[in-house]
């Protein structure tokens, strides 16, 4: 099972890189930007929980997005230990572009499956996670 999940993930990641619209955005960066777009501003900790990333991975993702000028951070005025994240204007522009391509990535990834198999796969994966 692990082998098949890894191979499916490799295929999905390859399709993502070719189809999303920015070869320098990873799936984890994309999911982070989508959540920031959805919520406007989030603590780094909450963002990590929403996208299913551990603290160390989230720190790396945020650092790379900040280096590209796509995400900005500021201290939380209510809790000095917390950092609040938001998309920059450039980050907002890019995520809007990428969101248009997101459904095509999913369609291409699941293209070998019938519509019923696609629904079944998503249901089964949801049970696993």
């Amino acid at each position: 099972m692990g082998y098949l999940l890894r191979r499916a993930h490799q295929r999905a990641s390859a399709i993502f890189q070719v189809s999303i619209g920015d070869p320098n955005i990873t799936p984890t960066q994309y999911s982070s930007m989508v959540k920031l777009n959805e919520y406007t501003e989030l603590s780094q900790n909450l963002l990590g929980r929403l996208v299913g990333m551990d603290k160390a991975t989230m720190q790396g993702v945020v650092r790379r997005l900040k280096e590209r000028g796509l995400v900005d951070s500021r201290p939380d005025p209510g809790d000095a230990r917390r950092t609040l994240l938001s998309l920059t204007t450039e980050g907002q522009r890019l995520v809007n572009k990428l969101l248009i391509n997101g459904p095509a990535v999913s369609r291409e990834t699941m293209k070998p499956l019938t519509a019923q198999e696609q629904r079944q796969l998503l249901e089964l994966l949801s049970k696993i996670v």
Side-chain angles (χ1 to χ4, degrees):
M1 180 180 90
Y3 169 77
L4 292 173
L5 285 172
R6 183 178 57 78
R7 291 296 312 270
H9 180 263
Q10 287 173 329
R11 181 174 185 279
S13 293
I15 291 168
F16 176 90
Q17 288 306 140
V18 169
S19 306
I20 198 61
D22 184 328
N24 298 313
I25 289 292
T26 66
T28 54
Q29 292 170 347
Y30 173 73
S31 63
S32 298
M33 292 179 69
V34 167
K35 285 299 176 190
L36 285 171
N37 181 62
E38 182 180 341
Y39 288 91
T40 308
E41 188 173 60
L42 291 168
S43 72
Q44 185 167 313
N45 185 292
L46 179 55
L47 177 59
R49 288 194 314 265
L50 289 171
V51 295
M53 281 185 246
D54 62 79
K55 186 177 178 179
T57 302
M58 192 74 247
Q59 286 175 338
V61 168
V62 169
R63 182 179 29 70
R64 287 185 288 282
L65 290 172
K66 286 174 74 174
E67 287 170 357
R68 282 193 62 189
L70 301 173
V71 168
D72 199 9
S73 65
R74 69 181 182 93
D76 184 336
D79 185 346
R81 299 168 297 168
R82 190 182 342 224
T83 300
L84 297 175
L85 304 172
S86 60
L87 293 171
T88 62
T89 302
E90 178 62 20
Q92 188 65 59
R93 185 199 62 74
L94 180 59
V95 79
N96 288 338
K97 173 185 163 188
L98 300 178
L99 282 168
I100 293 168
N101 298 329
V105 172
S106 295
R107 279 193 304 276
E108 185 62 28
T109 301
M110 295 197 294
K111 192 174 184 178
L113 305 175
T114 66
Q116 173 59 32
E117 289 170 332
Q118 290 176 19
R119 285 188 297 277
Q120 186 178 18
L121 175 63
L122 293 174
E123 288 172 13
L124 292 172
L125 288 172
S126 294
K127 284 185 175 183
I128 291 174
V129 298

